[in-house]
Amino acid sequence: MSLTDTNPVIETTEDTHHDEVISKSGLAMIYAVLAAVVAAWGSAVYAFGIPGLYMPAVALVPVIWVILLIISRG
């Protein structure tokens, strides 16, 4: 469909109704992993001070770079 089409009906062959719901145990697992990551980062700050705060972020720069490349390539 382009901006010049006047037909308001959009035909799709895909099922647009999604019932994907995360289970309570799956959500608990996500929160547990998130809590473990935050605890590990906090422990690094406690053990190493300010370098413990920024070094994990610096170490994740290549990972974020690859994720951005994957997103931008579609």
Side-chain angles (χ1 to χ4, degrees):
M1 182 172 179
S2 68
L3 293 175
T4 59
D5 288 342
T6 58
N7 186 4
V9 177
I10 300 173
E11 298 178 17
T12 59
T13 58
E14 298 177 10
D15 182 20
T16 58
H17 185 69
H18 299 287
D19 287 331
E20 297 178 15
V21 178
I22 298 176
S23 66
K24 290 188 181 208
S25 62
L27 190 60
M29 182 64 72
I30 291 171
Y31 284 140
V33 169
L34 184 62
V37 168
V38 170
W41 200 341
S43 298
V45 173
Y46 180 75
F48 302 112
I50 295 298
L53 178 66
Y54 63 80
M55 286 310 292
V58 171
L60 285 176
V61 168
V63 174
I64 299 301
W65 187 75
V66 169
I67 290 171
L68 286 173
L69 280 175
I70 291 169
I71 290 171
S72 68
R73 298 213 34 136

mmCIF file of all heavy atoms in Angstrom, residues 7-27:
data_model
loop_
_atom_site.group_PDB
_atom_site.id
_atom_site.type_symbol
_atom_site.label_atom_id
_atom_site.label_comp_id
_atom_site.label_asym_id
_atom_site.label_seq_id
_atom_site.Cartn_x
_atom_site.Cartn_y
_atom_site.Cartn_z
ATOM 1 N N ASN A 7 -7.920 2.779 -1.214
ATOM 2 C CA ASN A 7 -8.635 1.622 -0.704
ATOM 3 C C ASN A 7 -8.285 1.432 0.771
ATOM 4 O O ASN A 7 -7.147 1.128 1.115
ATOM 5 C CB ASN A 7 -8.261 0.376 -1.502
ATOM 6 C CG ASN A 7 -9.089 -0.823 -1.107
ATOM 7 O OD1 ASN A 7 -10.001 -0.711 -0.294
ATOM 8 N ND2 ASN A 7 -8.771 -1.953 -1.698
ATOM 9 N N PRO A 8 -9.260 1.596 1.688
ATOM 10 C CA PRO A 8 -8.943 1.485 3.113
ATOM 11 C C PRO A 8 -8.795 0.043 3.594
ATOM 12 O O PRO A 8 -8.372 -0.187 4.708
ATOM 13 C CB PRO A 8 -10.128 2.163 3.792
ATOM 14 C CG PRO A 8 -11.251 1.948 2.847
ATOM 15 C CD PRO A 8 -10.648 1.985 1.470
ATOM 16 N N VAL A 9 -9.152 -0.922 2.767
ATOM 17 C CA VAL A 9 -9.093 -2.319 3.179
ATOM 18 C C VAL A 9 -7.684 -2.849 2.934
ATOM 19 O O VAL A 9 -7.164 -2.767 1.826
ATOM 20 C CB VAL A 9 -10.127 -3.168 2.415
ATOM 21 C CG1 VAL A 9 -10.004 -4.624 2.813
ATOM 22 C CG2 VAL A 9 -11.520 -2.643 2.655
ATOM 23 N N ILE A 10 -7.078 -3.377 3.948
ATOM 24 C CA ILE A 10 -5.743 -3.958 3.841
ATOM 25 C C ILE A 10 -5.900 -5.460 4.010
ATOM 26 O O ILE A 10 -6.367 -5.935 5.040
ATOM 27 C CB ILE A 10 -4.786 -3.392 4.899
ATOM 28 C CG1 ILE A 10 -4.652 -1.882 4.725
ATOM 29 C CG2 ILE A 10 -3.435 -4.080 4.820
ATOM 30 C CD1 ILE A 10 -3.870 -1.225 5.831
ATOM 31 N N GLU A 11 -5.532 -6.178 2.988
ATOM 32 C CA GLU A 11 -5.662 -7.630 3.034
ATOM 33 C C GLU A 11 -4.342 -8.235 3.497
ATOM 34 O O GLU A 11 -3.288 -7.928 2.949
ATOM 35 C CB GLU A 11 -6.024 -8.172 1.665
ATOM 36 C CG GLU A 11 -7.358 -7.675 1.159
ATOM 37 C CD GLU A 11 -7.676 -8.187 -0.225
ATOM 38 O OE1 GLU A 11 -7.030 -9.171 -0.650
ATOM 39 O OE2 GLU A 11 -8.537 -7.599 -0.867
ATOM 40 N N THR A 12 -4.426 -9.073 4.497
ATOM 41 C CA THR A 12 -3.244 -9.772 4.986
ATOM 42 C C THR A 12 -3.544 -11.255 5.023
ATOM 43 O O THR A 12 -4.671 -11.684 5.259
ATOM 44 C CB THR A 12 -2.843 -9.306 6.397
ATOM 45 O OG1 THR A 12 -3.931 -9.549 7.280
ATOM 46 C CG2 THR A 12 -2.497 -7.834 6.417
ATOM 47 N N THR A 13 -2.534 -12.030 4.798
ATOM 48 C CA THR A 13 -2.687 -13.478 4.869
ATOM 49 C C THR A 13 -2.164 -14.018 6.190
ATOM 50 O O THR A 13 -2.344 -15.185 6.487
ATOM 51 C CB THR A 13 -1.934 -14.154 3.710
ATOM 52 O OG1 THR A 13 -0.562 -13.781 3.768
ATOM 53 C CG2 THR A 13 -2.537 -13.731 2.381
ATOM 54 N N GLU A 14 -1.523 -13.167 6.961
ATOM 55 C CA GLU A 14 -0.967 -13.599 8.233
ATOM 56 C C GLU A 14 -2.017 -13.503 9.327
ATOM 57 O O GLU A 14 -2.936 -12.698 9.273
ATOM 58 C CB GLU A 14 0.221 -12.723 8.613
ATOM 59 C CG GLU A 14 1.369 -12.781 7.653
ATOM 60 C CD GLU A 14 2.485 -11.843 8.060
ATOM 61 O OE1 GLU A 14 2.428 -11.297 9.172
ATOM 62 O OE2 GLU A 14 3.396 -11.654 7.266
ATOM 63 N N ASP A 15 -1.852 -14.332 10.339
ATOM 64 C CA ASP A 15 -2.721 -14.265 11.504
ATOM 65 C C ASP A 15 -2.235 -13.119 12.374
ATOM 66 O O ASP A 15 -1.130 -13.156 12.909
ATOM 67 C CB ASP A 15 -2.679 -15.588 12.266
ATOM 68 C CG ASP A 15 -3.614 -15.589 13.460
ATOM 69 O OD1 ASP A 15 -4.542 -14.763 13.478
ATOM 70 O OD2 ASP A 15 -3.412 -16.423 14.357
ATOM 71 N N THR A 16 -3.039 -12.088 12.530
ATOM 72 C CA THR A 16 -2.621 -10.911 13.287
ATOM 73 C C THR A 16 -2.991 -11.003 14.757
ATOM 74 O O THR A 16 -2.707 -10.097 15.519
ATOM 75 C CB THR A 16 -3.254 -9.636 12.694
ATOM 76 O OG1 THR A 16 -4.677 -9.790 12.708
ATOM 77 C CG2 THR A 16 -2.761 -9.394 11.287
ATOM 78 N N HIS A 17 -3.618 -12.082 15.169
ATOM 79 C CA HIS A 17 -3.998 -12.252 16.567
ATOM 80 C C HIS A 17 -2.934 -13.092 17.273
ATOM 81 O O HIS A 17 -2.729 -14.252 16.945
ATOM 82 C CB HIS A 17 -5.363 -12.941 16.654
ATOM 83 C CG HIS A 17 -5.872 -13.054 18.043
ATOM 84 N ND1 HIS A 17 -6.270 -11.967 18.772
ATOM 85 C CD2 HIS A 17 -6.049 -14.122 18.848
ATOM 86 C CE1 HIS A 17 -6.668 -12.365 19.955
ATOM 87 N NE2 HIS A 17 -6.549 -13.675 20.027
ATOM 88 N N HIS A 18 -2.283 -12.487 18.252
ATOM 89 C CA HIS A 18 -1.219 -13.179 18.969
ATOM 90 C C HIS A 18 -1.631 -13.382 20.420
ATOM 91 O O HIS A 18 -2.039 -12.445 21.092
ATOM 92 C CB HIS A 18 0.086 -12.392 18.918
ATOM 93 C CG HIS A 18 0.604 -12.197 17.533
ATOM 94 N ND1 HIS A 18 1.159 -13.206 16.806
ATOM 95 C CD2 HIS A 18 0.631 -11.121 16.736
ATOM 96 C CE1 HIS A 18 1.516 -12.765 15.623
ATOM 97 N NE2 HIS A 18 1.202 -11.484 15.552
ATOM 98 N N ASP A 19 -1.518 -14.587 20.887
ATOM 99 C CA ASP A 19 -1.823 -14.902 22.275
ATOM 100 C C ASP A 19 -0.589 -15.369 23.017
ATOM 101 O O ASP A 19 -0.672 -16.234 23.885
ATOM 102 C CB ASP A 19 -2.901 -15.987 22.358
ATOM 103 C CG ASP A 19 -4.268 -15.462 21.991
ATOM 104 O OD1 ASP A 19 -4.501 -14.265 22.208
ATOM 105 O OD2 ASP A 19 -5.086 -16.244 21.493
ATOM 106 N N GLU A 20 0.554 -14.814 22.697
ATOM 107 C CA GLU A 20 1.786 -15.232 23.354
ATOM 108 C C GLU A 20 1.895 -14.523 24.702
ATOM 109 O O GLU A 20 1.991 -13.309 24.767
ATOM 110 C CB GLU A 20 2.987 -14.907 22.486
ATOM 111 C CG GLU A 20 2.990 -15.655 21.179
ATOM 112 C CD GLU A 20 4.169 -15.283 20.316
ATOM 113 O OE1 GLU A 20 5.113 -14.681 20.832
ATOM 114 O OE2 GLU A 20 4.133 -15.593 19.131
ATOM 115 N N VAL A 21 1.861 -15.319 25.744
ATOM 116 C CA VAL A 21 1.939 -14.787 27.089
ATOM 117 C C VAL A 21 3.067 -15.511 27.801
ATOM 118 O O VAL A 21 3.200 -16.722 27.703
ATOM 119 C CB VAL A 21 0.611 -14.997 27.855
ATOM 120 C CG1 VAL A 21 0.723 -14.483 29.270
ATOM 121 C CG2 VAL A 21 -0.531 -14.331 27.128
ATOM 122 N N ILE A 22 3.872 -14.757 28.532
ATOM 123 C CA ILE A 22 4.958 -15.362 29.295
ATOM 124 C C ILE A 22 4.367 -15.969 30.562
ATOM 125 O O ILE A 22 3.597 -15.323 31.274
ATOM 126 C CB ILE A 22 6.025 -14.316 29.644
ATOM 127 C CG1 ILE A 22 6.642 -13.746 28.377
ATOM 128 C CG2 ILE A 22 7.091 -14.909 30.542
ATOM 129 C CD1 ILE A 22 7.632 -12.643 28.624
ATOM 130 N N SER A 23 4.734 -17.195 30.838
ATOM 131 C CA SER A 23 4.228 -17.858 32.043
ATOM 132 C C SER A 23 4.852 -17.228 33.284
ATOM 133 O O SER A 23 5.853 -16.526 33.211
ATOM 134 C CB SER A 23 4.540 -19.348 31.999
ATOM 135 O OG SER A 23 5.932 -19.550 32.067
ATOM 136 N N LYS A 24 4.241 -17.498 34.425
ATOM 137 C CA LYS A 24 4.756 -16.929 35.672
ATOM 138 C C LYS A 24 6.147 -17.458 35.986
ATOM 139 O O LYS A 24 6.993 -16.733 36.494
ATOM 140 C CB LYS A 24 3.795 -17.217 36.815
ATOM 141 C CG LYS A 24 2.518 -16.435 36.699
ATOM 142 C CD LYS A 24 1.665 -16.589 37.919
ATOM 143 C CE LYS A 24 0.387 -15.790 37.699
ATOM 144 N NZ LYS A 24 -0.179 -15.329 38.926
ATOM 145 N N SER A 25 6.400 -18.727 35.678
ATOM 146 C CA SER A 25 7.731 -19.274 35.944
ATOM 147 C C SER A 25 8.765 -18.669 34.997
ATOM 148 O O SER A 25 9.906 -18.427 35.388
ATOM 149 C CB SER A 25 7.720 -20.795 35.817
ATOM 150 O OG SER A 25 7.384 -21.176 34.497
ATOM 151 N N GLY A 26 8.367 -18.406 33.752
ATOM 152 C CA GLY A 26 9.278 -17.757 32.813
ATOM 153 C C GLY A 26 9.593 -16.332 33.232
ATOM 154 O O GLY A 26 10.735 -15.873 33.131
ATOM 155 N N LEU A 27 8.577 -15.621 33.711
ATOM 156 C CA LEU A 27 8.784 -14.260 34.184
ATOM 157 C C LEU A 27 9.664 -14.242 35.424
ATOM 158 O O LEU A 27 10.540 -13.383 35.567
ATOM 159 C CB LEU A 27 7.429 -13.616 34.477
ATOM 160 C CG LEU A 27 7.419 -12.129 34.761
ATOM 161 C CD1 LEU A 27 7.985 -11.353 33.575
ATOM 162 C CD2 LEU A 27 6.027 -11.663 35.081
#
